[in-house]
Amino acid sequence: MTIHDFMAKVAAKNQGEPEFLQAVKEVVETVWDAYISNPRFVKANILERIVEPERTIIFRVPWMDDKGEVHVQRGYRVQFNSAIGPYKGGLRFHPSVNLSILKFLGFEQIFKNSLTTLPMGGGKGGSDFDAKGKSDAEIMRFCQAFMSELFRHIGPNTDVPAGDIGVGGREIGYLFGMYKKLSNEFTGVLTGKGRNWGGSLIRPEATGFGAVYFAEEMLKTQGKSFDGLRVALSGFGNVAWGAAQKISELGGKVVTISGPDGYILDEEGISGDKIDYLLELRASNNDRVCDYADVYPNSKFFPGKRPWEVKVDVAMPCATQNELDLNDAKALVANACICIAEGANMPCTPEAVEIFINNKILFAPGKAANAGGVATSGLEMTQNSMRFGWSRDEVDARLHEIMKNIHEACATNGKQADGFVNYVKGANIAGFLKVANAMCDMGVV
Ligand code: NDP
Ligand code: 2IT
């Protein structure tokens, strides 16, 4: 069997799922040698088993809007792999959600969760619900309707969902409330919970903080730090917010954020109260970033454009998949950008990644760089099991340590003969080996 034959078989079985095939191809190409040279893996047919979700649940979600009109969305939960722990991964509510996107996210989650060293399998779910323009009551009713089916498929030792695009603290509250009512149990079945009802300190900031900690480790390998560097962020959601905080704290200057409508360039730096304003912008359910320029008139809005044309030292895409393409990558390289760390999941296209690696630029894939979010979800699960809560500093110190360890695992498995670290290869191999060995240990199930 060659990589080509293997991918042809996967493509034939998963037609009309481009994002899923994109994610599988990257993993298969980078782990192939480690796989094929291990007779135990090959005998157990691990690679073909690992690209097939253990279970996929698709369900109808009917809900009523404020005018009394009834709408129907589609709900999903892809329970991808439970070899090293209960399924774990976020819920995404966005009109673009389909099976391909959730399978790509669930597949990536297997390796990401493995890298955290915590006992969590991989899963992802969500719905094609569009929160834009919806009232709080409509969002509550939708979350309740979604959970009225999902609750029978999840549990603290079975599957533990969390947030992702369109699902933040407010939605987790409504989802948890409905789960608690239906199951008659107060349990750690979701993460990203509010602080007063089982949540962990630092979880809201964790993905952004973790991505910056990871980038900091990469910069250190070149004797550099964030101090004095210019940074481009995309998105203006949870991940971008956390990253902006930590970058400012470390002395870096965030000069861009973006939305589906274009990007903001703020040469004075996005720090202090401007970071708090991001929360307001996000909570407005307005789907646009341009309002920032009205509030901070010294900044400039570039409609329909992406921030990657701005000259920066570090770029951190924190919005969505495939938001940084070949031309964007070429522009960053031409502007002497030294480090790209993916806060979002798969934001760089394969062609963009190839440009970064060929130019020997520090490039961190999402499954390594953004693993701090799910790692802190894992820490939330630990605290729920202990019926105890750690302090902010304790959680932050554990998160920091986990990100340093993931960086180390990537460096060990991805170092080339010339010393350059291919973090894509390193992350995929390190994440894969643990899950593959666990699957072998458990027999053909
Ligand atoms: P949020 O919903 O909080 O924010 C998403 C942000 O991206 C919003 O500002 C959104 O704007 C913007 N956005 C959406 N589509 C586009 C687009 N086409 N161009 C530019 N901006 C866009 O989600 P998160 O911050 O939680 O998630 C962002 C990314 O990080 C996703 O890829 C997610 O999978 C990943 N991630 C999230 C983790 C978490 O813990 N939350 C953990 C690890 C990864 P708008 O709402 O206006 O569309
Ligand atoms: O993509 C991700 O890792 C997340 N959205 C967070 C998942 C989680 O379970 O905290």
Side-chain angles (χ1 to χ4, degrees), residues 14-311:
N14 300 280
Q15 290 178 27
E17 298 181 3
E19 293 85 3
F20 176 57
L21 293 174
Q22 182 183 334
V24 169
K25 188 163 184 275
E26 183 206 276
V27 170
V28 169
E29 283 178 353
T30 44
V31 304
W32 187 260
D33 290 346
Y35 175 70
I36 217 78
S37 60
N38 186 325
R40 194 168 173 243
F41 291 168
V42 175
K43 186 155 185 285
N45 200 9
I46 292 298
L47 210 50
E48 205 173 328
R49 286 165 60 196
I50 216 167
V51 299
E52 195 66 30
E54 289 177 13
R55 187 181 298 115
T56 302
I57 301 142
I58 303 183
F59 50 98
R60 181 177 70 184
V61 190
W63 61 281
M64 194 180 277
D65 68 19
D66 289 345
K67 291 185 283 210
E69 272 177 43
V70 176
H71 303 265
V72 182
Q73 305 319 133
R74 192 168 284 177
Y76 304 83
R77 187 72 184 165
V78 182
Q79 298 182 331
F80 223 117
N81 194 298
S82 62
I84 62 168
Y87 309 108
K88 179 86 196 87
L91 295 171
R92 178 176 290 191
F93 291 170
H94 195 270
S96 65
V97 161
N98 58 34
L99 189 58
S100 172
I101 289 182
L102 294 181
K103 279 175 70 180
F104 119 63
L105 289 163
F107 183 69
E108 290 278 291
Q109 202 81 45
I110 304 171
F111 309 102
K112 184 196 302 192
N113 293 3
S114 166
L115 285 169
T116 67
T117 70
L118 302 174
M120 300 182 290
K124 199 86 186 190
S127 174
D128 54 1
F129 177 71
D130 188 357
K132 189 177 161 193
K134 301 289 185 300
S135 71
D136 194 63
E138 287 172 329
I139 287 174
M140 180 182 75
R141 285 199 294 279
F142 176 75
C143 289
Q144 291 175 340
F146 183 84
M147 187 51 89
S148 71
E149 174 56 35
L150 186 69
F151 91 99
R152 65 187 95 246
H153 307 290
I154 61 176
N157 296 309
T158 309
D159 185 352
V160 183
D164 193 80
I165 293 181
V167 178
R170 172 182 55 177
E171 290 76 16
I172 293 291
Y174 295 145
L175 291 163
F176 183 77
M178 196 59 176
Y179 181 88
K180 186 170 75 63
K181 183 182 172 79
L182 292 171
S183 64
N184 195 29
E185 228 178 44
F186 193 112
T187 182
V189 71
L190 289 156
T191 58
K193 297 186 290 299
R195 181 61 190 144
N196 294 334
W197 39 280
S200 173
L201 289 167
I202 299 285
R203 177 62 188 91
E205 297 88 344
T207 310
F209 276 21
V212 176
Y213 291 148
F214 194 94
E216 196 184 19
E217 291 304 304
M218 294 168 93
L219 291 169
K220 262 193 216 165
T221 65
Q222 298 189 350
K224 300 186 174 105
S225 77
F226 267 100
D227 198 16
L229 298 191
R230 277 166 65 85
V231 184
L233 298 181
S234 63
F236 61 98
N238 173 262
V239 180
W241 167 74
Q245 278 184 63
K246 187 53 76 178
I247 292 163
S248 314
E249 198 183 305
L250 295 177
K253 190 195 234 189
V254 175
V255 290
T256 72
I257 49 169
S258 75
D261 53 339
Y263 78 90
I264 294 282
L265 176 64
D266 186 341
E267 286 290 356
E268 290 175 355
I270 301 170
S271 60
D273 63 318
K274 294 175 179 173
I275 297 176
D276 300 334
Y277 174 69
L278 294 188
L279 288 180
E280 234 176 90
L281 203 57
R282 184 81 202 90
S284 67
N285 292 348
N286 267 337
D287 206 16
R288 56 169 199 259
V289 77
C290 59
D291 298 356
Y292 182 101
D294 298 333
V295 179
Y296 299 102
N298 287 345
S299 67
K300 194 162 183 261
F301 175 61
F302 293 81
K305 294 213 156 187
R306 294 163 166 176
W308 317 124
E309 60 187 22
V310 176
K311 186 169 170 50

